[in-house]
Amino acid sequence: MFVSLKCVYTYIEFATIEISTLLSPVAMPLLPATGAELLESIRINSDALAVDAGGALTIDGHAPAALVERYGSPLFVTVESTLRANYRRIHTAFATRWPAPVNVLYSIKANNALAVRAILSSEGAGGDCFGLGELYATLEGGADPRLVVMNGSNKTEAEIDAALAQGITINVDATDELDFLRAACARHGRRAKVNLRLKVLPPELDHHVNELHKSAHGYVANLRRVKWGFVTEGARPLVEELQRMECVELTGYHCHVGHLSKAPDASAAVAGAVAEAVSELARATGFYPRVLDLGGGWAPQRDPSFREAGRQAFGIEDYAAATTAALRDGLRTDAPLPALWIEPGRYIVGNAVVLLARVGTVKRDAGLCWMHVDASTNNLPRIESGHFHYTVLPATRMNESFAGPVEIVGSTCFRSLIGGARPMPAPQRGDIVAILDAGMYAEVFSNQFNGVPRPGGVLLSGYGVDEIRQRETIDDVFRLQRMPAWLAQIAPRWSAALGEAQ
Ligand SMILES: Cc1ncc(COP(=O)(O)O)c(C=O)c1O
């Protein structure tokens, strides 16, 4: 049904020119010669990026140099209009293809900025949270509890209690949760809304998963080993028990297979398998869901986790079409279709944040050029743990010709390679670079390795520029540590002298 040909790349790394790219009819230009051309070749609809008359990048109309001057570097820059555009596009993609209610639950694990959550709340987005921290942020950011789910395979009694007290739907993923539910219901005198998490293992997934997920035993065999969800046989007794529990309102099922493929056919395979499981469970138990929650993993068109340059994925409409068609085919029912819930994280927030960094030392040796920046893999840890590929633009010199490949490196004592063999104009200390797609799984994974404080963040909106995350200081890095009294005498406070340097 869908052509699972590689998406067309329009940007090629200096180091890896692909023949498929050179043959592509829409690969224009073949080799971007400037930052501006590079931006055009990888742009996606909701990017709020442009180049001004002076050749500088603008982010939602703001100059990176001015932002860094005022708020410091590195700096996470979040764009309100991009967040709203992404939310509306994914909501429309599903709502126009599914003839029952659609609830887009923002998965706050991708980026837990309260301001981001508040913008999405104002759009009417539901929420997916995991644990008390994310529940706090989801509610603090104004989400309607009736549109929120709590996930987790080792939920504590306190988490179940808090979710139930707020009227949040609990995606049950363990037998012990049933006892926690009984106790919490008795404590609060209210019923719990519950979905049961399923695990589906469609064999055809093995044909679609990315190279990066392939393994000797096959992807589906690995999926069986992951801790989340129940296969149909395991789910059946739980459905029966949940139906018997008076304090529970079983509303439906949840299933999240996650981010595994660019192919819409892979989404269709998962949705088809969910529909099959639902139908089989309906025949066995008489329970037909009012809600089907298909989880997250919806790919933005430019997604660093695909480990490649350029735009890699299809439009969200293609995934929505494949998913809804497979669900309808698989459910084959005269009963009203269930409400469809989805839990996108990366899709909504990925390109809504740009990380700005300032160039420091430029070092040339052994035929290579290293361009140090003051951001590092501390701020983008998925480079090291997930081989993410970020696009980096020369924000202050977008119209200057590329001079040759550079190694873009952070300043920590790790290799901290942000991008290898990347096209750049001849770099100079003081330049500013813009690292795109820093909205997903960056700040939430960040760390303070080498004692480096984490960056601040601003929001660009119709109200101008607002600080949404204060920059940390060295004091913040060490603030929660305690010196035992018996060591305090031998640890003089030389550090006080550093105060000025921060
Ligand atoms: C249950 C669940 N829902 C949603 C998400 C969000 O995924 P993504 O950011 O890929 O959309 C995740 C990610 O791990 C998840 O585990």
Side-chain angles (χ1 to χ4, degrees):
M1 174 171 47
F2 286 93
V3 191
S4 57
L5 279 176
K6 234 175 179 183
C7 265
V8 176
Y9 306 153
T10 49
Y11 155 57
I12 312 148
E13 266 186 277
F14 272 33
T16 54
I17 300 175
E18 296 202 16
I19 299 300
S20 61
T21 314
L22 297 173
L23 297 176
S24 161
V26 291
M28 296 262 295
L30 279 179
L31 273 177
T34 63
E37 287 181 13
L38 172 55
L39 170 60
E40 283 322 308
S41 71
I42 51 118
R43 181 189 287 287
I44 58 178
N45 277 353
S46 60
D47 285 335
L49 304 170
V51 180
D52 70 14
L57 181 74
T58 60
I59 309 174
D60 205 32
H62 295 264
L67 291 171
V68 160
E69 182 64 33
R70 169 135 188 235
Y71 296 97
S73 178
L75 183 69
F76 284 102
V77 180
T78 303
V79 180
E80 179 205 14
S81 60
T82 303
L83 282 172
R84 291 193 190 276
N86 290 344
Y87 169 79
R88 289 176 194 173
R89 183 167 168 189
I90 195 168
H91 185 271
T92 304
F94 283 88
T96 52
R97 290 174 175 83
W98 188 251
V102 167
N103 177 15
V104 174
L105 302 95
Y106 171 57
S107 191
I108 199 164
K109 70 192 69 186
N111 182 319
N112 64 20
L114 299 178
V116 166
R117 182 56 253 190
I119 289 165
L120 297 170
S121 298
S122 75
E123 289 285 327
D128 149 43
C129 54
F130 199 102
L132 289 178
E134 290 189 358
L135 177 61
Y136 167 85
T138 298
L139 296 180
E140 193 72 6
D144 178 343
R146 292 168 301 181
L147 302 178
V148 175
V149 296
M150 172 165 280
N151 282 307
S153 58
N154 183 28
K155 297 187 199 73
T156 62
E157 204 162 355
E159 285 164 4
I160 299 262
D161 198 79
L164 183 127
Q166 299 291 337
I168 281 163
T169 300
I170 297 158
N171 286 341
V172 165
D173 197 5
T175 316
D176 341 17
E177 288 183 39
L178 273 48
D179 287 335
F180 294 168
L181 281 168
R182 286 190 188 92
C185 291
R187 243 188 322 272
H188 296 283
R190 64 192 294 182
R191 294 181 84 202
K193 277 184 290 166
V194 160
N195 295 327
L196 178 63
R197 183 159 180 168
L198 298 176
K199 177 187 283 187
V200 293
L201 304 165
E204 62 270 38
L205 262 192
D206 274 334
H207 303 302
H208 300 303
V209 292
N210 302 332
E211 284 305 317
L212 53 113
H213 291 299
K214 289 212 157 64
S215 73
H217 308 295
Y219 181 77
V220 177
N222 278 354
L223 205 53
R224 181 181 292 279
R225 302 184 71 96
V226 303
K227 63 188 179 182
W228 299 287
F230 288 92
V231 294
T232 312
E233 310 86 89
R236 181 180 169 168
L238 278 163
V239 173
E240 289 167 345
E241 180 67 15
L242 287 164
Q243 281 182 296
R244 280 195 292 272
M245 286 170 65
E246 275 186 11
C247 68
V248 159
E249 183 189 348
L250 179 61
T251 53
Y253 294 106
H254 173 258
C255 181
H256 166 91
V257 170
H259 189 63
L260 48 93
S261 172
K262 302 166 199 167
D265 283 350
S267 311
V270 172
V274 169
E276 205 174 294
V278 168
S279 304
E280 202 177 320
L281 286 164
R283 283 193 294 277
T285 66
F287 172 72
Y288 187 76
R290 293 206 315 272
V291 172
L292 272 187
D293 177 348
L294 288 188
W298 309 100
Q301 277 170 283
R302 197 180 57 231
D303 183 338
S305 73
F306 283 127
R307 307 179 180 181
E308 298 163 359
R311 285 186 300 248
Q312 306 89 6
F314 287 76
I316 193 65
E317 296 74 16
D318 293 317
Y319 300 107
T323 301
T324 51
L327 267 189
R328 289 177 80 157
D329 283 357
L331 288 175
R332 270 184 247 105
T333 171
D334 295 331
L337 285 175
L340 179 59
W341 293 9
I342 51 169
E343 302 172 354
R346 70 188 62 220
Y347 183 86
I348 291 181
V349 85
N351 70 327
V353 182
V354 175
L355 176 60
L356 297 178
R358 195 182 262 134
V359 175
T361 294
V362 176
K363 177 175 174 181
R364 291 189 173 82
D365 186 39
L368 291 169
C369 173
W370 292 270
M371 180 177 95
H372 289 77
V373 295
D374 54 8
S376 70
T377 47
N378 283 13
N379 318 120
L380 304 162
R382 296 291 288 147
I383 293 176
E384 275 157 1
S385 61
H387 305 287
F388 275 26
H389 179 110
Y390 290 97
T391 300
V392 185
L393 297 175
T396 35
R397 291 191 291 131
M398 292 291 285
N399 288 337
E400 272 181 47
S401 298
F402 289 149
V406 301
E407 307 292 298
I408 305 170
V409 290
S411 318
T412 67
C413 71
F414 263 21
R415 192 175 171 213
S416 199
L417 184 64
I418 292 171
R422 295 301 183 87
M424 277 287 149
Q428 287 169 23
R429 179 180 284 278
D431 285 350
I432 293 167
V433 296
I435 303 167
L436 306 192
D437 308 308
M440 50 178 268
Y441 304 107
E443 287 179 273
V444 285
F445 272 102
S446 67
N447 61 70
Q448 301 156 318
F449 179 59
N450 279 161
V452 181
R454 283 173 292 207
V458 293
L459 174 70
L460 310 183
S461 72
Y463 294 94
V465 187
D466 287 290
E467 192 172 43
I468 58 170
R469 197 184 294 268
Q470 213 181 319
R471 178 175 303 284
E472 286 181 348
T473 62
I474 290 175
D475 274 349
D476 291 326
V477 176
F478 296 97
R479 193 161 43 86
L480 297 177
Q481 294 194 29
R482 297 290 175 266
M483 184 72 80
W486 61 273
L487 282 174
Q489 296 145 14
I490 56 165
R493 303 209 63 234
W494 301 119
S495 57
L498 286 177
E500 290 289 298
Q502 286 191 47

